[in-house]
Amino acid sequence: MIPQTFPKASLLEDRAEIDLGLARVLESGWYILGPEVEAFEAEFARYCGVAHGVGAANGTDAIELALRALGIGPGDVVATPSHTAVATVAALFAAGARPLWIDIDPASYLLDLDHLEAQVAAFRQGSGGDRLKAVVAVHLYGAMVSPEGLLAVCQRHGLLLVEDCAQAHGALWNGQRAGSFGDASAFSFYPTKNLGALGDGGMVVTADAAVAERAAFLRQYGWKERYVSFEVGINSRLDPMQAAILRVFLKRLDERNEKRRALADLYSRNLADVSEVVLPVTPAQGTAVYHQYVIRVPDRNALADFLKAHGVGTAVHYPVPVHRQPAYLDFARDADLPHTDAVAGHILSLPMYPQLSPDDATRVTDLVKAFFSRSP
């Protein structure tokens, strides 16, 4: 069986060093926050090219903390795509804000900057337009939305920018890391991510010391001093054992991202002549890290069933746009997102993880070609 993803593979490669890190935490006697978390916060912030990192319990909390640290709260509106993990929007609601839905570019599946500009301008002209405060831009599948384009829209309309980098650890735009462009940025360390823990975890990164300070006390009940809450906060702390694991995996992140790129190149070369398969497109200025390799095909479910029958796992990221999900229908009555709706029934994520062998990746593409070459 070729799984769609296999996070245990990184553990198997780095087991000895991970065991040393876990032993270090156990011997330290410090099991909540503490020096291991502080060390990883500093190392990951430096990797991203910013000054500050604030660990959180998960990526959803990291988005909420980023928004709240920037002053986004109840009554505010935040522009964001619907073609994303529901966590993006759940975090926005947790902060008390509401979404302004933005469509995607049908080629890259990333937030459409022209639609963003149009939606922001129209909302600002309407009643209550001053409630629109920020953009949460999702760098999806390992590729980045143009930071120049995002910043241009934000500057024209006086908006804050939060980068959702949950799928973009190590991605680059003109040589600059994802997470270094926004007023604050959020990462997830869910096990399947490019930089994944062996449990949950997240982080806010920012160049702004005041934003980092506020995120740090919001993550722990709003404490500025122990047991005294100066603001209503949450309980969202990165575990030191996960921090120790992530410090090991961070050392190999670039190497493993290169392996993902090589696999993506193999997929694209092998499937280039299959007319039924629409291959992923990466913006020219970006260096993608292929958290997922997503194709678009006429009959997604039939192909997935065929691959499963031949021992290949697939996944769909994501089958139901957030604005179409039952929990959010009341907030999407006027949403008009034709590209988001159109791709949802046709996208399929092929196996993608750095330990996937070229031979297995070739077997995947051979099977895809076999599926489309069958007689009607």
Side-chain angles (χ1 to χ4, degrees), residues 3 75-76 252 303 329:
D76 292 334
R252 300 188 64 182
L303 175 58
L329 291 177

Side-chain angles (χ1 to χ4, degrees), residues 12 19 59 62 65 138 140 195-196 228 260 306 342 354 371:
L12 297 175
D19 286 347
L65 289 167
V138 181
L140 196 68
L195 180 61
V228 181
R260 287 175 180 268
F306 177 82
F371 175 80

Side-chain angles (χ1 to χ4, degrees), residues 112-322:
D112 185 311
L113 289 169
D114 290 336
H115 192 246
L116 174 66
E117 175 71 47
Q119 287 290 86
V120 167
F123 191 90
R124 276 288 169 83
Q125 291 171 3
S127 175
D130 59 344
R131 293 182 293 119
L132 179 60
K133 298 292 179 62
V135 176
V136 174
V138 181
H139 300 317
L140 196 68
Y141 304 148
M144 292 179 65
V145 186
S146 165
E148 292 101 336
L150 288 167
L151 289 168
V153 173
C154 289
Q155 288 164 4
R156 273 195 295 275
H157 297 279
L159 300 173
L160 297 163
L161 174 60
V162 174
E163 296 177 73
D164 178 349
C165 304
Q167 300 186 12
H169 310 73
L172 298 164
W173 189 271
N174 288 332
Q176 186 174 339
R177 299 268 188 217
S180 63
F181 295 91
D183 295 283
S185 301
F187 287 84
S188 166
F189 303 122
Y190 187 80
T192 59
K193 304 301 185 186
N194 291 45
L195 180 61
L198 299 180
D200 238 328
M203 190 176 293
V204 178
V205 301
T206 180
D208 190 322
V211 171
E213 180 182 23
R214 187 155 188 246
F217 74 74
L218 284 171
R219 73 173 170 187
Q220 190 165 228
Y221 313 116
W223 290 353
K224 290 186 180 179
E225 56 185 82
R226 192 167 177 81
Y227 302 131
V228 181
S229 295
F230 287 79
E231 189 170 345
V232 176
I234 60 176
N235 177 13
S236 182
R237 300 173 293 212
L238 179 63
D239 184 271
M241 291 223 182
Q242 299 301 337
I245 293 165
L246 288 162
R247 293 181 72 191
V248 175
F249 288 159
L250 180 58
K251 298 175 185 178
R252 300 188 64 182
L253 176 58
D254 287 342
E255 169 196 338
R256 286 172 173 158
N257 282 342
E258 284 296 333
K259 291 180 178 179
R260 287 175 180 268
R261 278 191 283 270
L263 289 165
D265 183 63
L266 185 155
Y267 276 150
S268 294
R269 283 186 283 105
N270 288 1
L271 295 174
D273 295 329
V274 184
S275 61
E276 297 90 344
V277 177
V278 179
L279 301 175
V281 173
T282 301
Q285 302 95 323
T287 303
V289 292
Y290 291 97
H291 173 62
Q292 303 295 343
Y293 187 92
V294 178
I295 60 173
R296 193 161 78 245
V297 294
D299 193 342
R300 183 259 311 289
N301 293 338
L303 175 58
D305 289 344
F306 177 82
L307 292 173
K308 182 178 179 181
H310 289 80
V312 174
T314 60
V316 179
H317 301 93
Y318 297 92
V320 182
V322 182

Side-chain angles (χ1 to χ4, degrees), residues 10-11 14-23 198 244-245 248-249:
S10 293
L11 166 65
D14 293 336
R15 184 60 181 266
E17 191 171 356
I18 286 171
D19 286 347
L20 290 173
L22 295 178
L198 299 180
I245 293 165
V248 175
F249 288 159

Side-chain angles (χ1 to χ4, degrees), residues 32-57:
I32 297 292
L33 296 177
E36 199 73 34
V37 172
E38 291 168 4
F40 177 62
E41 289 172 334
E43 290 163 5
F44 188 66
R46 185 164 56 250
Y47 174 84
C48 293
V50 297
H52 307 283
V54 180

Side-chain angles (χ1 to χ4, degrees), residues 89-102:
V89 180
L92 189 156
F93 274 78
R98 295 296 178 264
L100 174 65
W101 303 106
I102 309 300

